[in-house]
Amino acid sequence: TMVLLSGVMAFALNWSNFQASKDTSPLTVSVAAVAKQALTIGLAFIFFAGPFSTANAAGALLAVLGTGAYQY
């Protein structure tokens, strides 16, 4: 049942991504993906309180800024 649920969730994610691309633009979807990635990293840091070194922060910031610069 867990595999079936994972498959259904993956299908729903792909379908919603396709709908968002169809209704807006691929650029908008990419920007939303970057925002989701930044939110995921921030929430993981808050909830799991794992070691987050300066190198981790610099890497996450570089990834978000680089993707944002690419979108611009």
Side-chain angles (χ1 to χ4, degrees):
T1 59
M2 190 62 116
V3 173
L4 180 64
L5 181 62
S6 295
V8 169
M9 290 177 67
F11 175 80
L13 177 65
N14 286 330
W15 182 78
S16 64
N17 192 11
F18 176 75
Q19 287 298 104
S21 294
K22 188 174 83 171
D23 294 340
T24 59
S25 73
L27 178 62
T28 303
V29 173
S30 295
V31 170
V34 171
K36 180 190 71 140
Q37 185 179 30
L39 182 65
T40 301
I41 292 169
L43 289 175
F45 175 69
I46 291 168
F47 285 118
F48 298 119
F52 202 71
S53 66
T54 305
N56 293 64
L61 182 64
L62 182 63
V64 170
L65 289 177
T67 308
Y70 175 75
Q71 302 301 328
Y72 181 70

